[in-house]
Amino acid sequence: MLQHPKVKGLSVGLLGFSKGGDLCLSMASFLKGITTTVLINACVANTVAPLHYKDMIIPNLGNDLGKLKITESGHFTFLDVWNNALEEPNHLSLIPLEKTPGPFLFIVGMDDQSWKSEFYAHIASERLQAHGKERPQIICYPETGNCIDPPYFPPFRASVHAVVKKAVFYGGEPRAHSRAQVDAWQKIQIFFHKHLNGKKSVRHSKI
């Protein structure tokens, strides 16, 4: 990535969503050349499968599928399935994000029905500050669900999940969610430009 002609500096930034978020946290924690990380509705513990890096293994955060809930429309929600990342032995799954050199931006949908995104963002904040690091930027969007896509993507509140092969409800009120997508996209660009390029502003969408 650092050799790519579009990369202007000596480092790159990462943007991760949902499970991709904890993968980005892991990359930023252990790989060189990554200085800026943006997480959209993500967990700060390793999830789904154990993470192997060199001679180290971070176990996956456990879950209890017995806590799956079904909405009135027949969709599954995963919000309460995951174990508490702060309790033993689940804390072993926490990603050591304090190892990263650069800043973080957490984008949080307050109606996320897949992850307790605000809870995880505050875990990250407390962990970073406990290690003498800068408090991360956290932006919360009311009535906004899990899938915060780029602007003008049709917001979808449910779909057949690629992993579990079942209809899953992600949350979000369409109008508020759509507005959050527009605002979050600008905030993400401003964050990356500031910390990677040294710029303070970006062009707004003309759509």
Side-chain angles (χ1 to χ4, degrees):
M1 285 291 292
L2 291 173
Q3 303 304 318
H4 195 284
K6 292 291 186 179
V7 176
K8 299 178 182 180
L10 299 175
S11 64
V12 296
L14 298 178
L15 170 62
F17 159 68
S18 197
K19 168 60 187 175
D22 72 64
L23 289 176
C24 284
L25 276 182
S26 298
M27 293 172 65
S29 299
F30 298 111
L31 303 181
K32 296 180 179 179
I34 299 170
T35 58
T36 309
T37 311
V38 177
L39 287 305
I40 301 175
N41 288 329
C43 184
V44 292
N46 179 55
T47 62
V48 182
L51 177 72
H52 297 257
Y53 179 70
K54 295 184 177 180
D55 59 349
M56 180 199 65
I57 299 177
I58 298 181
N60 61 299
L61 181 65
N63 59 73
D64 182 358
L65 294 180
K67 295 181 179 179
L68 269 176
K69 292 183 179 179
I70 302 178
T71 67
E72 293 182 358
S73 56
H75 299 114
F76 288 91
T77 62
F78 288 93
L79 187 63
D80 298 319
V81 163
W82 307 102
N83 291 343
N84 189 334
L86 296 179
E87 296 179 350
E88 295 185 3
N90 306 319
H91 69 284
L92 297 175
S93 300
L94 287 169
I95 299 166
L97 69 168
E98 67 275 2
K99 292 179 178 292
T100 61
F104 291 91
L105 169 60
F106 286 84
I107 302 293
V108 173
M110 300 293 286
D111 191 36
D112 182 0
Q113 295 298 310
S114 294
W115 307 98
K116 296 181 179 179
S117 302
E118 184 181 19
F119 172 65
Y120 295 137
H122 287 295
I123 290 177
S125 179
E126 292 173 3
R127 188 178 180 108
L128 287 169
Q129 292 179 80
H131 286 82
K133 296 297 185 73
E134 180 182 351
R135 183 196 302 265
Q137 183 179 355
I138 302 173
I139 302 176
C140 297
Y141 293 99
E143 300 181 287
T144 302
N146 177 256
C147 304
I148 303 178
D149 291 315
Y152 314 113
F153 271 56
F156 61 95
R157 305 177 70 195
S159 73
V160 176
H161 197 281
V163 176
V164 300
K165 309 298 183 184
K166 296 182 182 296
V168 174
F169 180 66
Y170 301 114
E173 187 279 322
R175 183 183 295 272
H177 192 99
S178 296
R179 289 176 175 172
Q181 290 185 167
V182 174
D183 188 73
W185 186 245
Q186 293 297 323
K187 294 291 196 306
I188 290 168
Q189 290 184 81
I190 290 171
F191 186 81
F192 276 135
H193 278 289
K194 175 182 177 181
H195 295 289
L196 293 175
N197 296 335
K199 297 181 180 179
K200 295 184 178 180
S201 62
V202 296
R203 292 181 179 179
H204 290 272
S205 171
K206 295 182 180 179
I207 297 179

